[in-house]
Amino acid sequence: MSALTLTNSTSYIAQYVIHRGGLALARLPGLAPGATLSVPEADTFEITASTILEDNTYTSAPIAVSGATRFLAQVKQQRSQQTYEFEVVTTLSSIANQMQFEKTSLGPVTFHITHQGVPVQDVVVPNSFEQVTLEISDVYSVYAVINGITTDSVTTSNPNATVTAVSEATDMEFGYFTLVIS
């Protein structure tokens, strides 16, 4: 299994955010100075969707997914019970390496993406039959927030790369931080 390794060589706590294409893989709590953390590749995510209909909030059952998937959220009427049922139907994505989100209901639908119960990203679809997509390419993008400063993002296609947060040491750049990939 692949795993990115994160290292903090600054004097401050570093909070890392990792994306694979447009999909957020992790938003990690602070990594202490001098610490190292290995983040395994997320194989499966859980998706739930929610919407509001007639002042009631509807939430779908969780769906475990991995890879390119199309999600269609829809409100269906249940005549026999005189109520509505909110469901998400999944099919293969029409484009490889892409998650596709759609809805048919009137109100906006928020798709909640979690990994092992931890929220990582929300995708909002505001209009019916409008598709919102997330690329899930093999390019990883990482940035960190260190002492209140957000670093530039670095990218790699190596799923086993090491990303190290370093402090700039020159007088001209005191207090600046950089991420280095090795």
Side-chain angles (χ1 to χ4, degrees), residues 136-160:
I136 50 174
S137 71
D138 290 330
V139 176
Y140 299 86
S141 174
V142 181
Y143 70 87
V145 178
I146 306 168
N147 197 29
I149 306 297
T150 303
T151 67
D152 286 335
S153 291
V154 294
T155 59
T156 182
S157 57
N158 178 1
N160 294 302

Side-chain angles (χ1 to χ4, degrees), residues 32-69:
T36 298
L37 176 67
S38 181
V39 180
E41 173 73 29
D43 291 332
T44 305
F45 292 89
E46 297 82 33
I47 308 285
T48 58
S50 62
T51 191
I52 297 175
L53 176 65
E54 296 179 354
D55 296 324
N56 292 311
T57 301
Y58 290 83
T59 303
S60 71
I63 301 167
V65 297
S66 61
T69 307

Side-chain angles (χ1 to χ4, degrees), residues 104-135:
T104 60
S105 60
L106 292 177
V109 171
T110 302
F111 292 87
H112 308 280
I113 304 171
T114 60
H115 177 64
Q116 296 179 344
V118 177
V120 291
Q121 188 169 3
D122 285 343
V123 175
V124 178
V125 180
N127 300 314
S128 296
F129 301 106
E130 176 182 302
Q131 197 173 77
V132 176
T133 61
L134 276 180
E135 178 190 356

